[in-house]
């Protein structure tokens, strides 16, 4: 065995010297504030319903609600009347003393508390329409008018209405495993959503006095009962969306005979509502995989909108295993569709739109529906429903199973700006994508907006990227969230805030979660681990009701990556990312120690102390590396090194590097959010080398971290996060030597 002489090519570690000093008073103990601590203090305790792995447990259950609905549209008076029979299945282990039904239309009723719950202030500038609506109009007759609630035998059922919720009072508790059926009859006046607001309603085309209807929340709907909070009991205030159980729907919709319609589910009487020519066109669309086939032409739509039929027509739709139902109907609709191949199944992508939306919609909408189904399916599961429909509705962006409303139209001359086109493409992808989150992976939107909007915005970002057009995505790129995360903390809330308590709704519930997932995928976990874990989550919880804990735990469980530090900081706090370079020291190699190093004792591993001889690294910069003693390293000129290397075998010598320059870089973290350190070194010859240090580099110090670089070439520049991957809010401290910040003029 060769004799080994210990050589130290890095700054020596001095042994602490004992000094005779007065004993300072002992400090009090402290709690664990390490940001890498596990989230036991934040997550719900695992149980038989939801496991510690993030999967449904052996006792997991969910309720079911089936609907048979008949509705009729009074187009002349913009009124919808309906009756329904709900069959409710108690799959829980609990006896239910009553049932809760949601009456979302009541959010706009005269006695609604929603306007009272929002602060108000006097605006000093108003468009005429806004001023009229705010100060001049009397309260409109809105909200559900319940005509009856009856049991299966037709006897009246006792009920109590609490604004947007209705309690059905049961004579005897509903036992586990029991089924109950009851009927409700209702009507309401449909709102003009452009004037009154709302997620659905009608759009008025004043020139021909025609309406385009997008109808949702139009029927009394069962609330969710589950293992997390029992009955969903939060009112619909207008912000937090909808929590709903799955079920089967059979819906008959009677409208004027000249209307064209799309809705959730499969149309079961196509030959009764379409002309023979339109049926043939639809059959062609079922075989067209490269472009849409126009089923109801613009000429046919223009002819229909000139007259107002007094006859009626009933469209019949059937939907299986959906959580909601939406309808779009108008005599103005053009209709096109195409087939989409998803592995071993074919689904239909379709669009309905007025002539005012062409040529943009005919060229773009259905193609984007098809692209979305392919992209989302590749990252989650094959789209399980028979179709997905995009509806052109001005000023709207809203989603329901198999159907959604989307804004974006050309100007009156048919010209579409790039901004409008990109906005329309983005909203179509986003709203169609909601079929996956939350229509199938059925999270509670009333509580956690980010679980559908944030996850869906992330999926939208990937789908936009996969267009291959350098699409200008709004949400997802890390740099885009910086203005929000660097803002005034008074106006920031953690992502894990209830939907109704968020000030900057879009940034908090859409942008920040989407950015966080993108950082996880691209920077922290890598695509392979992230994509597998995300797909596991989607498949575990499709057609089920996941919570945030189920998502967090599954992402760790399926990837083998501890992410508690990330979820704790990114989702549960308003910490921001700011990592900088606080100091750079350069060293030269010598056998001549400084006074401070001359009598150094150096630890050797865990068990001993070495006393020399040593090679020393002494601080000095590149400008000094020209003197006799201060110069770039040449091994043969340092006797101790040269002697040691001469004892190595040929193979060992061949494996040695030949560094000439030595640097110690100190990183600091003014921001509270932990993040990996991404470092780019630029050498004097212009070449570049990148290093990535995991977030765990901060685990023993939340303030600073150091790294040593031994390089063959002198370093010209050091930069942190050169590609802006981490949402660092202050890049002025990211470079060495420090660079002057360019002004906006520059």
């Amino acid at each position: 065995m060769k004799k080994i002489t210990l050589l130290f090519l890095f700054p020596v570690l001095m042994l602490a010297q004992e000094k005779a000093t007065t004993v300072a008073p002992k400090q009090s103990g402290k709690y664990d504030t390490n940001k890498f601590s596990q989230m036991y203090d934040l997550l719900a305790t695992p149980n038989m319903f939801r496991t510690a792995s993030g999967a449904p447990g052996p006792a997991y259950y969910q309720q079911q609600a089936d609907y048979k609905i008949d509705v009729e549209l009074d187009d002349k008076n913009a009124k919808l009347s309906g009756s329904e029979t709900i069959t409710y299945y108690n799959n829980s282990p609990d006896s239910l003393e009553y049932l809760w039904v949601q009456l979302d239309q009541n959010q706009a009723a005269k006695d609604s508390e929603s306007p009272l719950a929002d602060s108000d202030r006097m605006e000093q500038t108003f468009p005429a329409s806004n001023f009229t609506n705010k100060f001049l109009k009397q309260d409109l007759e809105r909200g559900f008018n319940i005509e009856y609630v009856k049991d299966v035998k037709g006897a009246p059922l006792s009920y109590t209405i609490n604004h947007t919720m209705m309690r059905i009072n049961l004579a005897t508790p509903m036992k586990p495993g029991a089924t109950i059926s009851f009927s409700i009859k209702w009507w309401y006046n449909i709102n003009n959503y452009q004037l009154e607001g709302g997620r659905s309603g009608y759009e008025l085309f004043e020139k021909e006095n025609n309406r385009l209807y997008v109808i949702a929340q139009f029927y009394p709907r069962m609330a969710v009962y589950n293992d997390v909070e029992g009955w969903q009991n939060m009112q619909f205030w207008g912000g937090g969306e909808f929590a709903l159980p799955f079920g089967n729907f059979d819906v008959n919709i009677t409208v004027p005979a000249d209307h064209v319609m799309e809705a959730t589910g499969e149309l079961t009487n196509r030959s009764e509502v379409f002309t023979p020519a339109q049926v043939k066109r639809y059959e062609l669309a079922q075989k067209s995989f490269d472009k849409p086939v126009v089923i109801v032409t613009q000429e046919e739509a223009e002819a229909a909108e000139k007259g107002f039929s007094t006859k009626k027509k009933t469209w019949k739709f059937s939907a299986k295993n959906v959580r909601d139902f939406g309808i779009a109907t108008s005599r103005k609709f053009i209709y096109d569709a195409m087939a989409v191949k998803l592995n071993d199944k074919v689904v239909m992508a379709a669009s309905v739109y007025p002539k005012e939306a062409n040529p943009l919609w005919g060229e773009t909408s259905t193609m984007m529906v098809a692209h979305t189904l392919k992209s989302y399916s590749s990252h989650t599961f094959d789209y399980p429903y028979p179709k997905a429909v995009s509806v052109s509705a001005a000023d709207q962006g809203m989603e329901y199973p198999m159907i959604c409303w989307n804004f974006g139209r050309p100007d009156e001359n048919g010209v579409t700006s790039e901004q409008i086109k990109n906005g329309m493409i983005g909203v179509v992808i986003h709203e169609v994508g909601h079929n996956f989150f939350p229509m199938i992976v059925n999270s509670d939107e009333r509580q956690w907006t980010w679980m559908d909007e944030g996850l869906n915005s992330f999926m939208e970002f990937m789908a936009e990227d996969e267009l291959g057009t350098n699409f200008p995505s709004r949400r997802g790129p890390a740099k885009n969230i910086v203005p929000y995360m660097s803002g005034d903390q008074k106006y920031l809330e953690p992502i894990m805030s209830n939907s109704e308590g968020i000030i900057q709704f879009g940034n908090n519930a859409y942008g920040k979660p989407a950015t966080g997932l993108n950082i996880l995928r691209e920077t922290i976990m890598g695509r392979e681990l992230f994509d597998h874990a995300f797909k596991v989550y989607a498949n575990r919880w499709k057609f089920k009701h996941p919570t945030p804990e189920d998502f967090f735990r599954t992402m760790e469980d399926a990837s083998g990556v501890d992410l508690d530090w990330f979820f704790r900081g990114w989702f549960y706090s308003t910490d921001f990312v700011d990592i900088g370079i606080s100091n750079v020291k350069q060293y030269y190699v010598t056998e001549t120690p400084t006074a401070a190093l001359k009598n150094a004792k150096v630890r050797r591993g865990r068990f001993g102390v070495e006393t020399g001889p040593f090679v020393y690294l002494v601080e000095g910069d590149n400008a000094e590396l020209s003197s006799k003693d201060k110069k770039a390293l040449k091994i043969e000129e340092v006797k101790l090194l040269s002697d040691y290397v001469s004892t190595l075998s040929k193979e060992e010598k061949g494996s040695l590097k030949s560094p000439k320059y030595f640097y110690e870089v100190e990183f600091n973290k003014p921001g509270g959010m932990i993040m990996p350190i991404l470092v780019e070194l630029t050498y004097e010859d212009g070449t570049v080398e990148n290093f990535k240090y995991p977030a765990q580099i901060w685990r023993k110090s939340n303030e600073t971290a150091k790294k040593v670089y031994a390089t063959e070439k002198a370093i010209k520049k050091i930069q942190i996060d050169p590609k802006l991957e981490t949402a660092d809010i202050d890049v002025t401290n990211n470079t060495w030597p420090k660079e002057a910040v360019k002004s906006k003029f520059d």
Side-chain angles (χ1 to χ4, degrees), residues 280-326:
K280 287 183 179 180
R281 294 173 200 153
Y282 185 82
E283 291 170 350
L284 289 174
Q286 291 177 304
K287 301 174 184 177
S288 178
F289 293 91
D290 56 347
K291 63 180 181 180
V293 173
V294 179
I295 295 159
V296 178
T297 67
Q298 182 162 330
E299 291 74 18
E300 290 168 332
E302 288 177 348
E305 70 183 9
K306 292 176 182 177
F308 292 80
S309 176
T310 58
K311 296 181 180 179
K312 299 177 182 180
K313 185 165 52 178
T314 298
W315 298 63
K316 299 178 180 181
F317 291 90
S318 180
K320 305 299 181 187
N321 206 19
V322 296
R323 52 167 254 170
D324 202 0
F325 200 96

Side-chain angles (χ1 to χ4, degrees), residues 213-411:
Y213 295 90
V214 284
I215 305 295
Q217 293 88 53
F218 65 91
Y219 60 100
R221 310 184 295 175
M222 290 302 304
V224 167
Y225 183 89
N226 65 17
D227 61 285
V228 178
E229 58 177 331
W231 284 109
Q232 178 267 312
N233 48 41
M234 182 176 287
Q235 296 280 334
F236 177 46
W237 295 96
E241 292 182 4
F242 312 107
L244 299 160
F246 287 102
N248 303 315
F249 287 72
D250 289 303
V251 184
N252 300 324
I253 309 154
T254 301
V255 295
D258 50 6
H259 272 220
V260 169
M261 180 185 297
E262 258 298 2
T264 299
E266 294 187 87
L267 180 62
T268 61
N269 65 331
R270 189 174 305 278
S271 62
E272 296 175 12
V273 294
F274 281 128
T275 68
Q278 291 166 348
V279 171
K280 287 183 179 180
R281 294 173 200 153
Y282 185 82
E283 291 170 350
L284 289 174
Q286 291 177 304
K287 301 174 184 177
S288 178
F289 293 91
D290 56 347
K291 63 180 181 180
V293 173
V294 179
I295 295 159
V296 178
T297 67
Q298 182 162 330
E299 291 74 18
E300 290 168 332
E302 288 177 348
E305 70 183 9
K306 292 176 182 177
F308 292 80
S309 176
T310 58
K311 296 181 180 179
K312 299 177 182 180
K313 185 165 52 178
T314 298
W315 298 63
K316 299 178 180 181
F317 291 90
S318 180
K320 305 299 181 187
N321 206 19
V322 296
R323 52 167 254 170
D324 202 0
F325 200 96
I327 303 166
T329 184
S330 178
R331 58 178 55 87
K332 292 179 64 66
F333 276 152
I334 304 163
Y335 181 13
D336 68 44
M338 65 183 288
V340 182
K341 179 75 170 170
L342 299 174
N343 289 320
D344 59 350
K345 69 177 298 186
V346 175
V347 301
M348 296 300 292
S351 299
V352 291
Y353 45 94
K355 66 178 186 295
E356 288 80 3
N358 260 340
L360 174 63
W361 274 66
E363 295 170 351
T364 309
S365 177
T366 299
M367 295 295 290
M368 288 301 103
V369 176
H371 172 75
T372 304
L373 295 180
K374 292 175 183 176
S375 174
Y376 277 59
S377 294
S378 70
H379 292 290
T380 56
F381 43 76
D382 286 347
Y383 182 68
Y385 293 137
K387 69 180 182 186
V389 182
S390 172
V391 181
S392 173
D395 310 319
Q396 278 285 358
M398 197 59 202
E399 72 281 355
Y400 302 92
M402 305 184 219
I403 191 168
C404 57
W405 348 128
N406 303 305
F407 63 77
R409 291 180 186 162
D411 64 20

Side-chain angles (χ1 to χ4, degrees), residues 72-80 190 202-204 209-213 254-259 307-309 312 329-331:
E72 181 169 346
L73 171 66
D74 178 351
D75 188 21
K76 181 179 179 181
N77 297 301
K79 176 181 176 181
L80 193 76
I190 304 171
Y202 68 80
E203 173 188 357
L204 179 64
N209 196 31
N210 255 315
R211 295 189 180 97
L212 185 161
Y213 295 90
T254 301
V255 295
D258 50 6
H259 272 220
F308 292 80
S309 176
K312 299 177 182 180
T329 184
S330 178
R331 58 178 55 87

Side-chain angles (χ1 to χ4, degrees), residues 196 200 290 305 320 375-376 415 435 459 472-473 615 669:
E196 302 171 48
S200 64
D290 56 347
E305 70 183 9
K320 305 299 181 187
S375 174
Y376 277 59
V415 177
N435 276 288
M459 295 287 290
S473 296
V615 170
K669 192 168 68 62

Side-chain angles (χ1 to χ4, degrees), residues 52 82 116-117 248 298 454 524 573 600 643 704:
L116 307 178
N248 303 315
Q298 182 162 330
I524 295 171
S573 83
D643 290 347
T704 61

Side-chain angles (χ1 to χ4, degrees), residues 474-538:
R474 294 174 56 212
R475 293 168 174 140
K479 62 184 176 65
N480 291 2
I481 202 64
V482 166
Y484 169 70
M485 294 187 71
S486 59
D488 190 334
Q489 285 283 336
K490 290 190 301 184
Y491 304 109
L492 304 182
E493 304 86 21
I495 294 173
M496 287 293 292
S497 299
N498 180 266
S499 302
E500 298 296 344
I502 299 170
I503 297 174
Q504 299 187 55
F505 200 81
N507 284 319
N508 177 287
Y510 293 66
K512 188 180 176 185
T515 302
L517 295 177
N518 185 37
I519 292 172
L520 279 180
R521 185 175 191 247
E522 301 293 346
T523 304
I524 295 171
M525 300 172 70
R527 290 189 177 185
E528 183 178 357
L529 289 175
F530 179 93
D531 288 353
H532 174 75
F534 194 83
K535 185 172 284 192
V536 168
Y537 168 72

